[in-house]
Amino acid sequence: MTVGIPIRRLWPEPSDLPLDDATLTALYGRADQPRLRVNFVASLDGAVTVDGYSAGLSGEPDKRVFSLLRMLCDALVVAAGTLRHEGYRAVRLDERRRAWRREHGLAEYPTLVVVSGSLDLDPAQAAFADAPVRPVVLTHAGVDPPPGLADVADVLRCGTDRVDLAAGLDELHRRGLTQLLCEGGPHLLGALTAADLVDELCLTVAPLLAGPGPGRITAGDATPPRQLPLRHVLAADDGVLLLRHARG
């Protein structure tokens, strides 16, 4: 991974000046109302993974924005399959980002929220066992948690035979977690889109062709197309594009 690759603004208000973290933070920002932001990386030909993992698409500029988005959110939402496959560890931030959160009246760390219809979860996984803030699991009434899960996470049942995502987000809002960042996976994005819950998509486009095979950033049943206007376009000096689309 190359360190210190400049990121510049292409649109609106193009500028050749590299963006510092304060400017990037202002560009992404926090909303004054509940918001679900989704963050993904994809190849030029739409692949969500290389060799089965998203890490093959991500470089230093993407990781820089990735870290800023985690700093800005109240809760990090992820599907159980992505948690397992990508080997999520505890959601932690460095001291500089924790200080920013303290200065803005936020908890030092965002809360991890795992969406699981089967509760096929390992309480010993570091994402739970080493979490600095007690995670939340959104599930439904038709499954029972594995032994030990309730010791390391709050298990919230939203729905009878499948996870009711709208009800789950409402419960998170009641807990004061209004700025939500979803990191996938594709089936969770598909379900959130179907429920019309996606307010914003931050998409990193990596300058490579992955070829046939990998899936897209979204999966699941077909849903009507939804407009999501472009808000900014950033470009890194290594050819990566950083797009932000959001509702008005």
Side-chain angles (χ1 to χ4, degrees):
M1 181 181 71
T2 304
V3 177
I5 299 172
I7 299 174
R8 310 174 199 276
R9 182 162 51 195
L10 293 186
W11 183 89
E13 301 175 5
S15 173
D16 288 333
L17 296 176
L19 301 174
D20 59 19
D21 276 3
T23 304
L24 281 173
T25 299
L27 280 171
Y28 288 96
R30 284 172 59 89
D32 56 5
Q33 59 189 2
R35 174 173 59 178
L36 175 68
R37 166 186 278 163
V38 180
N39 185 39
F40 267 97
V41 60
S43 68
L44 288 172
D45 48 354
V48 71
T49 60
V50 171
D51 295 329
Y53 295 91
S54 61
L57 294 166
S58 180
E60 189 271 333
D62 177 59
K63 288 182 170 64
R64 182 180 170 196
V65 171
F66 175 94
S67 297
L68 282 173
L69 297 185
R70 284 189 166 193
M71 180 188 78
L72 287 163
C73 74
D74 296 322
L76 176 66
V77 183
V78 63
T82 298
L83 184 90
R84 292 189 299 266
H85 181 70
E86 298 282 351
Y88 267 59
R89 303 192 63 79
V91 179
R92 295 186 177 273
L93 306 175
D94 61 28
E95 172 54 33
R96 182 165 57 94
R97 304 212 190 287
R98 296 202 307 275
W100 185 94
R101 290 176 66 88
R102 289 192 300 267
E103 291 167 5
H104 290 81
L106 306 176
E108 282 202 340
Y109 299 96
T111 299
L112 175 66
V113 177
V114 181
V115 180
S116 177
S118 67
L119 288 184
D120 180 16
L121 297 168
D122 180 4
Q125 184 173 345
F128 296 110
D130 191 38
V133 177
R134 186 174 172 87
V136 173
V137 176
L138 298 182
T139 189
H140 57 82
V143 289
D144 295 320
L149 184 62
D151 295 334
V152 295
D154 292 345
V155 180
L156 304 183
R157 300 183 183 277
C158 306
T160 54
D161 58 358
R162 66 178 59 190
V163 182
D164 183 331
L165 291 170
L169 266 58
D170 284 344
E171 178 58 34
L172 296 178
H173 297 164
R174 282 193 288 272
R175 291 172 171 237
L177 307 175
T178 63
Q179 304 296 292
L180 306 177
L181 172 64
C182 176
E183 292 180 353
H187 281 93
L188 179 55
L189 175 55
L192 290 166
T193 302
D196 197 22
L197 296 172
V198 177
D199 299 307
E200 180 174 325
L201 171 65
C202 296
L203 179 65
T204 298
V205 181
L208 60 85
L209 297 171
R216 296 170 54 200
I217 67 170
T218 188
D221 296 333
T223 59
R226 302 181 189 279
Q227 295 291 325
L228 207 57
L230 182 64
R231 300 302 176 186
H232 73 226
V233 180
L234 311 180
D237 281 8
D238 62 353
V240 164
L241 288 178
L242 298 144
L243 311 178
R244 177 175 173 259
H245 292 257
R247 301 189 206 241

